[in-house]
């Protein structure tokens, strides 16, 4: 099993969620996060004063899936979340050694 974590722009969340549901991904975790990459934040004007916004709002989506679904999942996220502008985000794919459903004690693929 693999965990796919995608950090995307917040306004793309609903579209990505719907597209993942269409390929059979039924569960995910979504967290509002703040961060920056190469874009290093931006400046904003507030009451006539300019200030630096270092951390930009993003959304992190986490899904744990069978290895066979990884490429399709990544492709869907890239296709839907891409705006072509700086700050579109990142996707991380990592191994998952074990999953346990707390309620039933089911493990691994049965728990997902």
């Amino acid at each position: 099993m693999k965990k796919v974590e995608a950090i995307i722009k917040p306004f793309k969340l609903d579209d990505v969620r719907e597209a993942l549901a269409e390929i059979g991904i039924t569960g995910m975790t979504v967290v509002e996060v703040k961060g920056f990459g190469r874009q290093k934040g931006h400046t904003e004007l507030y009451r006539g004063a300019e200030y630096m916004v270092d951390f930009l709002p993003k959304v992190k989506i986490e899904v744990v899936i069978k290895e066979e679904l990884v490429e399709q999942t990544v492709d869907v996220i890239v296709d839907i979340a891409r705006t072509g502008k700086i700050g579109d985000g990142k996707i991380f794919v990592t191994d998952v050694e074990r999953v346990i459903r707390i309620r039933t004690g089911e493990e691994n693929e049965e728990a997902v």
Side-chain angles (χ1 to χ4, degrees):
M1 287 182 304
K2 299 284 187 178
K3 178 161 86 167
V4 177
E5 296 177 81
I7 300 172
I8 62 172
K9 292 182 175 184
F11 68 89
K12 289 291 191 172
L13 175 61
D14 286 336
D15 294 337
V16 170
R17 183 189 53 78
E18 289 171 11
L20 290 175
E22 286 177 14
I23 64 168
I25 295 176
T26 57
M28 66 180 64
T29 301
V30 177
V31 183
E32 292 180 5
V33 295
K34 291 184 178 191
F36 68 89
R38 290 186 185 152
Q39 66 191 107
K40 306 251 191 313
H42 65 281
T43 58
E44 287 188 4
L45 201 59
Y46 179 71
R47 294 190 177 185
E50 191 174 280
Y51 66 98
M52 185 69 178
V53 177
D54 291 329
F55 295 99
L56 301 173
K58 303 286 182 179
V59 173
K60 181 164 81 167
I61 300 169
E62 298 177 352
V63 295
V64 176
I65 54 176
K66 295 178 184 178
E67 197 160 341
E68 303 84 57
L69 286 174
V70 170
E71 287 307 314
Q72 188 179 13
T73 301
V74 168
D75 290 345
V76 163
I77 295 169
V78 168
D79 289 345
I80 302 298
R82 178 182 287 148
T83 67
K85 296 187 168 74
I86 195 163
D88 274 350
K90 298 270 190 301
I91 299 174
F92 305 95
V93 179
T94 55
D95 290 323
V96 174
E97 290 184 25
R98 189 174 176 201
V99 177
I100 300 118
R101 177 174 288 149
I102 295 172
R103 178 177 53 88
T104 62
E106 293 171 301
E107 293 198 26
N108 300 322
E109 290 183 8
E110 291 80 34
V112 178

